[in-house]
Amino acid sequence: MLFLIIKRILLGFITLFIVSLITFVGTEILPGDACTTYLERQAFGEQLEACYRRLGLNVPAYERYVSWAVNAIQGDFGYSLSGEMPIKEVLGPRIKNSLVLASAAIFIGIPIALILGIVTALWRDKLPDVAISTVTIFAMTIPEFISATLLILIIAIWLEWLPGIVIVPTDVSFLELLPNIILPVIAIAMIMTAHMARMVRSSVIQVMASEYVQMAILKGVPYWKMVFKHVLPNALLPAINVVALTIAWLLGGVVVTEVVFNYPGLGRLVIESISNRDLPTVQALAIILASIYVSINLLADLMTLMLNPRLKTLQIRK
Amino acid sequence: MKVNSIYKEEKKSAFQKVSEVIITMASRPSGFIGLSILVFHIILAFISPYIAPYDFKAINPTLMLQAPSAEYWFGTDDLGRDVFTRTILGGRTALTITFFGSLIALLWGGLLGIFCGLVGGKIDDIVMRIVDAFLSIPWILAMLLIVSLLGTSTEVLIPALGFFYGKGIVRVARAATHDVIAKDFIVSARARGHSNFSIIWNEIIPNVRDAILVEGAMRWSWMLLGFSSLSFLGFGVSPPTPDWGLMISNARGLMSFAYWAVIAPIVGLSSLIIGINLTADAFAKALGIDRSTKAPV
């Protein structure tokens, strides 16, 4: 058991190591570097050399990778090009803002998804299922920027209930941020909830069709007791992993949503740093977003392992 | 002789198989709606240049932000261009790029997955670690980086999208291969001394084809979503080419007094994505594959 956990954590670190290699090699082989972008048309001769020296780009690539990785492990990602500020300081408030947004969406989304998923599965092919499933298909497939734009149009512009775009500074306190995040949270929670509800639904349907549930029905176990005692524990466990993967996958959607609402989080920083060709910040963002992805997966694996006695003796599913 | 003729009857031509799958798909209401929307969009993409009433790039300052009228069905945008013309033309680039992108994703992802599932061992371990690492980088960050450094031409977008949406197919193809590989007919093929290539071509591909095709159809809708997100962010199609993502992003700032310019492309893009999704779902059901338990990775 302990061995499995350690092995799983090690695998996570190996993945992160490969991510760091990929981003480093990727930014290295793609044409253009920090200095040529920064100096634009003056990128030749003396000035270019000076810039290379200043940013430490004149040493061989592998040496730069090693020193960058050693610093990155300690949380120091170097300096951003555009702002000439330590990336650490740029990232801090952004990460906090994005975390507020994402966790609000997750806390609202998961209970709703569970209820919708269970209801649609138990009333399969009846009216509640057809109605909810139709809505979830719409919520799931429509791109984030469309649902966000429609939310702004209807709730902020036509009804004038809430502010449409966020115009607060990056390091605002939580209470001031609150009215601003309602619409972005709805936009993100909608698509997330739809994905999760669909998975819970098919997971419950699968378990309901299994032999031991048939047995419980034949034995005369009361319907709701059977649902809560026999079906849900077995149906929700495998869903944990899938839900984790979905949350991680939606990181990309959070980027787009933040841009639509002008929300000062990590997502907007992604766009800003890429538009400015700020490669050090892009590298830092890649590592941070990948770490979030890896740790969500790790957490899901460990939760499945803790909660499912059967898996303790087996190898963790990859 | 009789045995032979029965055998021949059971072996259907590829055309028969395809038409049977399509009929099964269309027999469900959701599949029928999805197929009709998809077919409508594909036909529209082919004929729209011939039926468009106006020039999509004709700027007319006197007609700025006109409300919908008999002359301009969906109104005009901030440069006085006809929104109807631009909307019916707006799906062509997205459809073409994502269609070829999905084909590339299907090919490389499927083949690499089958190969890894078949050989196993060290090579499989290493490749899967690299695939995992690529999966954990958000697609949008990687795509934006590539596009911003290499440009937004079709020759860059198609392979880049194909690559980034293919890595998930590797896992699906590998898992499907693992299911097949323990079967007796693979063992007997090995015993007969067939080469790896012959086993892949004759034994594995026919058995994992359905799973991979369903995955590819699903990828198509995600890729379309990803591509229009790129356009929306200004990293996709370059103006003045009409594209829904770009149109929405342009008209968004003025939607408080010209909502028509944003609604038309929204309807176009949403209906296409929903159409592809419903079709892919019906396709999966027609082939007997339940993919709703899988995460969209």
Side-chain angles (χ1 to χ4, degrees), chain B residues 228-272:
Chain B
S228 22
S229 302
L230 282 182
S231 284
F232 177 79
L233 295 172
F235 291 89
V237 179
S238 38
T241 313
D243 177 85
W244 292 325
L246 197 63
M247 286 168 72
I248 295 171
S249 124
N250 284 343
R252 202 165 61 91
L254 298 163
M255 67 183 171
S256 50
F257 34 87
Y259 59 88
W260 51 86
V262 74
I263 295 284
I266 280 182
V267 172
L269 182 54
S270 310
S271 64
L272 177 57

mmCIF file of all heavy atoms in Angstrom, chain B residues 228-272:
data_model
loop_
_atom_site.group_PDB
_atom_site.id
_atom_site.type_symbol
_atom_site.label_atom_id
_atom_site.label_comp_id
_atom_site.label_asym_id
_atom_site.label_seq_id
_atom_site.Cartn_x
_atom_site.Cartn_y
_atom_site.Cartn_z
ATOM 1 N N SER B 228 -11.799 27.095 -32.655
ATOM 2 C CA SER B 228 -12.538 28.362 -32.586
ATOM 3 C C SER B 228 -12.128 29.164 -31.361
ATOM 4 O O SER B 228 -12.181 30.394 -31.400
ATOM 5 C CB SER B 228 -14.052 28.149 -32.629
ATOM 6 O OG SER B 228 -14.400 26.890 -32.238
ATOM 7 N N SER B 229 -11.703 28.470 -30.276
ATOM 8 C CA SER B 229 -11.172 29.222 -29.133
ATOM 9 C C SER B 229 -9.924 29.990 -29.551
ATOM 10 O O SER B 229 -9.745 31.151 -29.163
ATOM 11 C CB SER B 229 -10.826 28.287 -27.979
ATOM 12 O OG SER B 229 -11.931 27.546 -27.576
ATOM 13 N N LEU B 230 -9.067 29.333 -30.335
ATOM 14 C CA LEU B 230 -7.865 30.023 -30.816
ATOM 15 C C LEU B 230 -8.239 31.245 -31.646
ATOM 16 O O LEU B 230 -7.689 32.331 -31.469
ATOM 17 C CB LEU B 230 -7.019 29.084 -31.674
ATOM 18 C CG LEU B 230 -6.149 28.048 -30.971
ATOM 19 C CD1 LEU B 230 -5.363 27.257 -31.998
ATOM 20 C CD2 LEU B 230 -5.203 28.714 -30.002
ATOM 21 N N SER B 231 -9.203 31.060 -32.573
ATOM 22 C CA SER B 231 -9.641 32.176 -33.402
ATOM 23 C C SER B 231 -10.180 33.294 -32.541
ATOM 24 O O SER B 231 -9.905 34.467 -32.768
ATOM 25 C CB SER B 231 -10.756 31.735 -34.347
ATOM 26 O OG SER B 231 -10.233 31.007 -35.384
ATOM 27 N N PHE B 232 -10.973 32.892 -31.542
ATOM 28 C CA PHE B 232 -11.579 33.870 -30.651
ATOM 29 C C PHE B 232 -10.503 34.685 -29.943
ATOM 30 O O PHE B 232 -10.637 35.895 -29.777
ATOM 31 C CB PHE B 232 -12.461 33.154 -29.632
ATOM 32 C CG PHE B 232 -13.083 34.062 -28.615
ATOM 33 C CD1 PHE B 232 -14.196 34.808 -28.933
ATOM 34 C CD2 PHE B 232 -12.544 34.174 -27.348
ATOM 35 C CE1 PHE B 232 -14.765 35.647 -27.999
ATOM 36 C CE2 PHE B 232 -13.103 35.007 -26.415
ATOM 37 C CZ PHE B 232 -14.216 35.749 -26.742
ATOM 38 N N LEU B 233 -9.432 34.018 -29.536
ATOM 39 C CA LEU B 233 -8.366 34.706 -28.823
ATOM 40 C C LEU B 233 -7.464 35.493 -29.761
ATOM 41 O O LEU B 233 -6.544 36.178 -29.329
ATOM 42 C CB LEU B 233 -7.519 33.702 -28.044
ATOM 43 C CG LEU B 233 -8.231 32.969 -26.914
ATOM 44 C CD1 LEU B 233 -7.357 31.871 -26.348
ATOM 45 C CD2 LEU B 233 -8.614 33.938 -25.814
ATOM 46 N N GLY B 234 -7.731 35.372 -31.076
ATOM 47 C CA GLY B 234 -6.923 36.114 -32.041
ATOM 48 C C GLY B 234 -5.697 35.357 -32.501
ATOM 49 O O GLY B 234 -4.777 35.935 -33.062
ATOM 50 N N PHE B 235 -5.662 34.034 -32.288
ATOM 51 C CA PHE B 235 -4.513 33.248 -32.697
ATOM 52 C C PHE B 235 -4.878 32.221 -33.762
ATOM 53 O O PHE B 235 -4.177 31.251 -33.960
ATOM 54 C CB PHE B 235 -3.898 32.521 -31.496
ATOM 55 C CG PHE B 235 -3.228 33.419 -30.509
ATOM 56 C CD1 PHE B 235 -3.940 33.968 -29.464
ATOM 57 C CD2 PHE B 235 -1.889 33.731 -30.637
ATOM 58 C CE1 PHE B 235 -3.320 34.806 -28.548
ATOM 59 C CE2 PHE B 235 -1.272 34.559 -29.727
ATOM 60 C CZ PHE B 235 -1.976 35.103 -28.680
ATOM 61 N N GLY B 236 -6.010 32.399 -34.422
ATOM 62 C CA GLY B 236 -6.430 31.419 -35.420
ATOM 63 C C GLY B 236 -6.401 32.007 -36.809
ATOM 64 O O GLY B 236 -5.368 32.449 -37.285
ATOM 65 N N VAL B 237 -7.591 32.034 -37.440
ATOM 66 C CA VAL B 237 -7.717 32.595 -38.771
ATOM 67 C C VAL B 237 -7.435 34.098 -38.713
ATOM 68 O O VAL B 237 -7.850 34.780 -37.790
ATOM 69 C CB VAL B 237 -9.152 32.366 -39.267
ATOM 70 C CG1 VAL B 237 -9.329 32.949 -40.647
ATOM 71 C CG2 VAL B 237 -9.466 30.897 -39.258
ATOM 72 N N SER B 238 -6.722 34.607 -39.721
ATOM 73 C CA SER B 238 -6.454 36.048 -39.680
ATOM 74 C C SER B 238 -7.498 36.806 -40.498
ATOM 75 O O SER B 238 -7.946 36.327 -41.531
ATOM 76 C CB SER B 238 -5.049 36.330 -40.201
ATOM 77 O OG SER B 238 -4.753 35.480 -41.271
ATOM 78 N N PRO B 239 -7.918 37.981 -40.023
ATOM 79 C CA PRO B 239 -8.903 38.776 -40.747
ATOM 80 C C PRO B 239 -8.355 39.187 -42.104
ATOM 81 O O PRO B 239 -7.142 39.240 -42.263
ATOM 82 C CB PRO B 239 -9.100 39.998 -39.841
ATOM 83 C CG PRO B 239 -7.967 39.997 -38.890
ATOM 84 C CD PRO B 239 -7.429 38.627 -38.824
ATOM 85 N N PRO B 240 -9.187 39.477 -43.096
ATOM 86 C CA PRO B 240 -10.650 39.582 -43.040
ATOM 87 C C PRO B 240 -11.384 38.274 -43.342
ATOM 88 O O PRO B 240 -12.594 38.315 -43.568
ATOM 89 C CB PRO B 240 -10.936 40.590 -44.148
ATOM 90 C CG PRO B 240 -9.898 40.289 -45.185
ATOM 91 C CD PRO B 240 -8.679 39.830 -44.428
ATOM 92 N N THR B 241 -10.671 37.126 -43.347
ATOM 93 C CA THR B 241 -11.350 35.852 -43.589
ATOM 94 C C THR B 241 -12.493 35.690 -42.595
ATOM 95 O O THR B 241 -12.284 35.867 -41.398
ATOM 96 C CB THR B 241 -10.370 34.680 -43.393
ATOM 97 O OG1 THR B 241 -9.181 34.981 -44.090
ATOM 98 C CG2 THR B 241 -10.955 33.387 -43.901
ATOM 99 N N PRO B 242 -13.706 35.371 -43.066
ATOM 100 C CA PRO B 242 -14.798 35.192 -42.113
ATOM 101 C C PRO B 242 -14.618 33.900 -41.322
ATOM 102 O O PRO B 242 -14.373 32.850 -41.912
ATOM 103 C CB PRO B 242 -16.050 35.130 -42.989
ATOM 104 C CG PRO B 242 -15.582 34.864 -44.359
ATOM 105 C CD PRO B 242 -14.140 35.211 -44.453
ATOM 106 N N ASP B 243 -14.657 34.009 -40.019
ATOM 107 C CA ASP B 243 -14.583 32.821 -39.163
ATOM 108 C C ASP B 243 -15.395 33.106 -37.907
ATOM 109 O O ASP B 243 -15.294 34.183 -37.334
ATOM 110 C CB ASP B 243 -13.136 32.526 -38.787
ATOM 111 C CG ASP B 243 -13.033 31.347 -37.840
ATOM 112 O OD1 ASP B 243 -13.014 30.210 -38.328
ATOM 113 O OD2 ASP B 243 -13.000 31.558 -36.617
ATOM 114 N N TRP B 244 -16.188 32.099 -37.487
ATOM 115 C CA TRP B 244 -17.122 32.342 -36.384
ATOM 116 C C TRP B 244 -16.438 32.817 -35.119
ATOM 117 O O TRP B 244 -16.879 33.780 -34.483
ATOM 118 C CB TRP B 244 -17.948 31.082 -36.118
ATOM 119 C CG TRP B 244 -18.903 30.752 -37.221
ATOM 120 C CD1 TRP B 244 -19.574 31.648 -37.998
ATOM 121 C CD2 TRP B 244 -19.274 29.461 -37.683
ATOM 122 N NE1 TRP B 244 -20.351 30.980 -38.916
ATOM 123 C CE2 TRP B 244 -20.195 29.643 -38.740
ATOM 124 C CE3 TRP B 244 -18.936 28.164 -37.314
ATOM 125 C CZ2 TRP B 244 -20.772 28.581 -39.427
ATOM 126 C CZ3 TRP B 244 -19.510 27.103 -37.983
ATOM 127 C CH2 TRP B 244 -20.421 27.312 -39.033
ATOM 128 N N GLY B 245 -15.343 32.134 -34.737
ATOM 129 C CA GLY B 245 -14.653 32.515 -33.506
ATOM 130 C C GLY B 245 -14.203 33.968 -33.551
ATOM 131 O O GLY B 245 -14.413 34.744 -32.614
ATOM 132 N N LEU B 246 -13.615 34.323 -34.690
ATOM 133 C CA LEU B 246 -13.118 35.685 -34.870
ATOM 134 C C LEU B 246 -14.261 36.696 -34.895
ATOM 135 O O LEU B 246 -14.172 37.781 -34.311
ATOM 136 C CB LEU B 246 -12.347 35.729 -36.188
ATOM 137 C CG LEU B 246 -11.402 36.889 -36.433
ATOM 138 C CD1 LEU B 246 -10.299 36.863 -35.401
ATOM 139 C CD2 LEU B 246 -10.802 36.761 -37.831
ATOM 140 N N MET B 247 -15.370 36.327 -35.571
ATOM 141 C CA MET B 247 -16.520 37.230 -35.656
ATOM 142 C C MET B 247 -17.088 37.504 -34.263
ATOM 143 O O MET B 247 -17.433 38.640 -33.930
ATOM 144 C CB MET B 247 -17.613 36.624 -36.546
ATOM 145 C CG MET B 247 -17.291 36.664 -38.029
ATOM 146 S SD MET B 247 -18.421 35.634 -38.976
ATOM 147 C CE MET B 247 -19.919 36.597 -38.885
ATOM 148 N N ILE B 248 -17.190 36.430 -33.447
ATOM 149 C CA ILE B 248 -17.730 36.617 -32.097
ATOM 150 C C ILE B 248 -16.827 37.548 -31.310
ATOM 151 O O ILE B 248 -17.292 38.474 -30.634
ATOM 152 C CB ILE B 248 -17.865 35.253 -31.377
ATOM 153 C CG1 ILE B 248 -18.886 34.378 -32.085
ATOM 154 C CG2 ILE B 248 -18.270 35.448 -29.922
ATOM 155 C CD1 ILE B 248 -18.931 32.961 -31.572
ATOM 156 N N SER B 249 -15.520 37.334 -31.431
ATOM 157 C CA SER B 249 -14.599 38.162 -30.648
ATOM 158 C C SER B 249 -14.637 39.622 -31.112
ATOM 159 O O SER B 249 -14.541 40.533 -30.301
ATOM 160 C CB SER B 249 -13.208 37.538 -30.712
ATOM 161 O OG SER B 249 -12.261 38.414 -31.180
ATOM 162 N N ASN B 250 -14.817 39.847 -32.414
ATOM 163 C CA ASN B 250 -14.890 41.227 -32.909
ATOM 164 C C ASN B 250 -16.177 41.926 -32.488
ATOM 165 O O ASN B 250 -16.172 43.092 -32.115
ATOM 166 C CB ASN B 250 -14.817 41.256 -34.438
ATOM 167 C CG ASN B 250 -13.417 41.016 -34.930
ATOM 168 O OD1 ASN B 250 -12.468 41.144 -34.167
ATOM 169 N ND2 ASN B 250 -13.288 40.631 -36.183
ATOM 170 N N ALA B 251 -17.291 41.184 -32.575
ATOM 171 C CA ALA B 251 -18.594 41.814 -32.347
ATOM 172 C C ALA B 251 -18.923 41.924 -30.863
ATOM 173 O O ALA B 251 -19.860 42.614 -30.480
ATOM 174 C CB ALA B 251 -19.684 41.010 -33.050
ATOM 175 N N ARG B 252 -18.138 41.240 -30.031
ATOM 176 C CA ARG B 252 -18.432 41.155 -28.607
ATOM 177 C C ARG B 252 -18.419 42.528 -27.936
ATOM 178 O O ARG B 252 -19.253 42.841 -27.095
ATOM 179 C CB ARG B 252 -17.379 40.265 -27.958
ATOM 180 C CG ARG B 252 -17.722 39.643 -26.669
ATOM 181 C CD ARG B 252 -16.733 38.540 -26.397
ATOM 182 N NE ARG B 252 -15.379 39.063 -26.313
ATOM 183 C CZ ARG B 252 -14.818 39.468 -25.181
ATOM 184 N NH1 ARG B 252 -15.483 39.402 -24.061
ATOM 185 N NH2 ARG B 252 -13.585 39.933 -25.151
ATOM 186 N N GLY B 253 -17.462 43.365 -28.330
ATOM 187 C CA GLY B 253 -17.329 44.666 -27.685
ATOM 188 C C GLY B 253 -18.524 45.572 -27.929
ATOM 189 O O GLY B 253 -18.807 46.457 -27.140
ATOM 190 N N LEU B 254 -19.223 45.326 -29.053
ATOM 191 C CA LEU B 254 -20.326 46.220 -29.418
ATOM 192 C C LEU B 254 -21.683 45.571 -29.201
ATOM 193 O O LEU B 254 -22.695 46.055 -29.691
ATOM 194 C CB LEU B 254 -20.193 46.621 -30.893
ATOM 195 C CG LEU B 254 -18.921 47.401 -31.226
ATOM 196 C CD1 LEU B 254 -18.671 47.385 -32.707
ATOM 197 C CD2 LEU B 254 -19.036 48.815 -30.704
ATOM 198 N N MET B 255 -21.696 44.447 -28.466
ATOM 199 C CA MET B 255 -22.952 43.697 -28.446
ATOM 200 C C MET B 255 -24.044 44.380 -27.634
ATOM 201 O O MET B 255 -25.202 44.012 -27.752
ATOM 202 C CB MET B 255 -22.742 42.265 -27.961
ATOM 203 C CG MET B 255 -22.343 42.100 -26.535
ATOM 204 S SD MET B 255 -22.067 40.360 -26.228
ATOM 205 C CE MET B 255 -21.355 40.418 -24.601
ATOM 206 N N SER B 256 -23.688 45.407 -26.857
ATOM 207 C CA SER B 256 -24.758 46.057 -26.107
ATOM 208 C C SER B 256 -25.702 46.811 -27.031
ATOM 209 O O SER B 256 -26.861 47.010 -26.710
ATOM 210 C CB SER B 256 -24.179 46.977 -25.035
ATOM 211 O OG SER B 256 -23.209 47.808 -25.600
ATOM 212 N N PHE B 257 -25.233 47.249 -28.233
ATOM 213 C CA PHE B 257 -26.193 47.847 -29.155
ATOM 214 C C PHE B 257 -26.270 47.170 -30.515
ATOM 215 O O PHE B 257 -27.051 47.581 -31.351
ATOM 216 C CB PHE B 257 -25.969 49.357 -29.336
ATOM 217 C CG PHE B 257 -24.543 49.789 -29.288
ATOM 218 C CD1 PHE B 257 -23.773 49.774 -30.428
ATOM 219 C CD2 PHE B 257 -23.992 50.201 -28.086
ATOM 220 C CE1 PHE B 257 -22.452 50.184 -30.371
ATOM 221 C CE2 PHE B 257 -22.673 50.607 -28.039
ATOM 222 C CZ PHE B 257 -21.899 50.607 -29.172
ATOM 223 N N ALA B 258 -25.467 46.139 -30.741
ATOM 224 C CA ALA B 258 -25.580 45.408 -32.012
ATOM 225 C C ALA B 258 -25.457 43.911 -31.745
ATOM 226 O O ALA B 258 -24.501 43.275 -32.150
ATOM 227 C CB ALA B 258 -24.518 45.871 -33.001
ATOM 228 N N TYR B 259 -26.455 43.380 -31.017
ATOM 229 C CA TYR B 259 -26.359 41.974 -30.616
ATOM 230 C C TYR B 259 -26.416 41.016 -31.805
ATOM 231 O O TYR B 259 -25.904 39.916 -31.763
ATOM 232 C CB TYR B 259 -27.456 41.631 -29.612
ATOM 233 C CG TYR B 259 -28.849 41.865 -30.129
ATOM 234 C CD1 TYR B 259 -29.496 40.848 -30.818
ATOM 235 C CD2 TYR B 259 -29.502 43.070 -29.945
ATOM 236 C CE1 TYR B 259 -30.763 41.058 -31.326
ATOM 237 C CE2 TYR B 259 -30.759 43.284 -30.442
ATOM 238 C CZ TYR B 259 -31.393 42.269 -31.140
ATOM 239 O OH TYR B 259 -32.637 42.471 -31.655
ATOM 240 N N TRP B 260 -27.038 41.452 -32.930
ATOM 241 C CA TRP B 260 -27.185 40.540 -34.067
ATOM 242 C C TRP B 260 -25.828 40.088 -34.626
ATOM 243 O O TRP B 260 -25.681 38.971 -35.072
ATOM 244 C CB TRP B 260 -28.026 41.187 -35.175
ATOM 245 C CG TRP B 260 -27.541 42.550 -35.566
ATOM 246 C CD1 TRP B 260 -26.580 42.838 -36.477
ATOM 247 C CD2 TRP B 260 -27.987 43.796 -35.042
ATOM 248 N NE1 TRP B 260 -26.386 44.184 -36.552
ATOM 249 C CE2 TRP B 260 -27.233 44.811 -35.684
ATOM 250 C CE3 TRP B 260 -28.955 44.163 -34.089
ATOM 251 C CZ2 TRP B 260 -27.411 46.163 -35.411
ATOM 252 C CZ3 TRP B 260 -29.121 45.509 -33.821
ATOM 253 C CH2 TRP B 260 -28.366 46.497 -34.465
ATOM 254 N N ALA B 261 -24.846 40.979 -34.561
ATOM 255 C CA ALA B 261 -23.543 40.634 -35.125
ATOM 256 C C ALA B 261 -22.853 39.539 -34.312
ATOM 257 O O ALA B 261 -21.972 38.844 -34.823
ATOM 258 C CB ALA B 261 -22.650 41.865 -35.184
ATOM 259 N N VAL B 262 -23.266 39.355 -33.062
ATOM 260 C CA VAL B 262 -22.642 38.311 -32.254
ATOM 261 C C VAL B 262 -23.524 37.052 -32.213
ATOM 262 O O VAL B 262 -23.030 35.937 -32.145
ATOM 263 C CB VAL B 262 -22.278 38.848 -30.838
ATOM 264 C CG1 VAL B 262 -23.471 39.028 -29.968
ATOM 265 C CG2 VAL B 262 -21.272 37.962 -30.162
ATOM 266 N N ILE B 263 -24.849 37.238 -32.303
ATOM 267 C CA ILE B 263 -25.750 36.079 -32.218
ATOM 268 C C ILE B 263 -25.588 35.153 -33.433
ATOM 269 O O ILE B 263 -25.517 33.929 -33.293
ATOM 270 C CB ILE B 263 -27.225 36.539 -32.105
ATOM 271 C CG1 ILE B 263 -27.464 37.286 -30.806
ATOM 272 C CG2 ILE B 263 -28.167 35.345 -32.214
ATOM 273 C CD1 ILE B 263 -27.554 36.453 -29.580
ATOM 274 N N ALA B 264 -25.489 35.719 -34.632
ATOM 275 C CA ALA B 264 -25.442 34.892 -35.845
ATOM 276 C C ALA B 264 -24.269 33.911 -35.829
ATOM 277 O O ALA B 264 -24.482 32.705 -35.989
ATOM 278 C CB ALA B 264 -25.425 35.775 -37.083
ATOM 279 N N PRO B 265 -23.016 34.378 -35.605
ATOM 280 C CA PRO B 265 -21.932 33.389 -35.559
ATOM 281 C C PRO B 265 -22.055 32.429 -34.378
ATOM 282 O O PRO B 265 -21.640 31.271 -34.495
ATOM 283 C CB PRO B 265 -20.666 34.244 -35.447
ATOM 284 C CG PRO B 265 -21.104 35.583 -35.017
ATOM 285 C CD PRO B 265 -22.496 35.758 -35.532
ATOM 286 N N ILE B 266 -22.646 32.879 -33.265
ATOM 287 C CA ILE B 266 -22.826 31.979 -32.119
ATOM 288 C C ILE B 266 -23.725 30.812 -32.520
ATOM 289 O O ILE B 266 -23.421 29.646 -32.255
ATOM 290 C CB ILE B 266 -23.422 32.740 -30.901
ATOM 291 C CG1 ILE B 266 -22.327 33.511 -30.183
ATOM 292 C CG2 ILE B 266 -24.105 31.781 -29.944
ATOM 293 C CD1 ILE B 266 -22.782 34.243 -28.947
ATOM 294 N N VAL B 267 -24.827 31.125 -33.210
ATOM 295 C CA VAL B 267 -25.729 30.050 -33.635
ATOM 296 C C VAL B 267 -25.008 29.118 -34.606
ATOM 297 O O VAL B 267 -25.097 27.890 -34.496
ATOM 298 C CB VAL B 267 -27.003 30.649 -34.281
ATOM 299 C CG1 VAL B 267 -27.843 29.551 -34.905
ATOM 300 C CG2 VAL B 267 -27.799 31.408 -33.244
ATOM 301 N N GLY B 268 -24.247 29.698 -35.546
ATOM 302 C CA GLY B 268 -23.529 28.862 -36.507
ATOM 303 C C GLY B 268 -22.578 27.894 -35.833
ATOM 304 O O GLY B 268 -22.645 26.678 -36.029
ATOM 305 N N LEU B 269 -21.714 28.414 -34.969
ATOM 306 C CA LEU B 269 -20.696 27.571 -34.333
ATOM 307 C C LEU B 269 -21.324 26.566 -33.374
ATOM 308 O O LEU B 269 -20.983 25.373 -33.409
ATOM 309 C CB LEU B 269 -19.691 28.471 -33.597
ATOM 310 C CG LEU B 269 -18.523 27.783 -32.915
ATOM 311 C CD1 LEU B 269 -17.784 26.896 -33.889
ATOM 312 C CD2 LEU B 269 -17.564 28.806 -32.339
ATOM 313 N N SER B 270 -22.270 27.021 -32.540
ATOM 314 C CA SER B 270 -22.881 26.094 -31.576
ATOM 315 C C SER B 270 -23.573 24.953 -32.290
ATOM 316 O O SER B 270 -23.437 23.795 -31.900
ATOM 317 C CB SER B 270 -23.896 26.818 -30.701
ATOM 318 O OG SER B 270 -23.349 27.964 -30.171
ATOM 319 N N SER B 271 -24.325 25.281 -33.360
ATOM 320 C CA SER B 271 -25.070 24.205 -34.014
ATOM 321 C C SER B 271 -24.109 23.211 -34.643
ATOM 322 O O SER B 271 -24.335 21.998 -34.577
ATOM 323 C CB SER B 271 -26.027 24.782 -35.056
ATOM 324 O OG SER B 271 -25.297 25.409 -36.079
ATOM 325 N N LEU B 272 -23.004 23.685 -35.223
ATOM 326 C CA LEU B 272 -22.061 22.741 -35.834
ATOM 327 C C LEU B 272 -21.451 21.829 -34.775
ATOM 328 O O LEU B 272 -21.381 20.606 -34.947
ATOM 329 C CB LEU B 272 -20.959 23.500 -36.577
ATOM 330 C CG LEU B 272 -19.883 22.611 -37.198
ATOM 331 C CD1 LEU B 272 -20.490 21.600 -38.155
ATOM 332 C CD2 LEU B 272 -18.827 23.432 -37.921
#
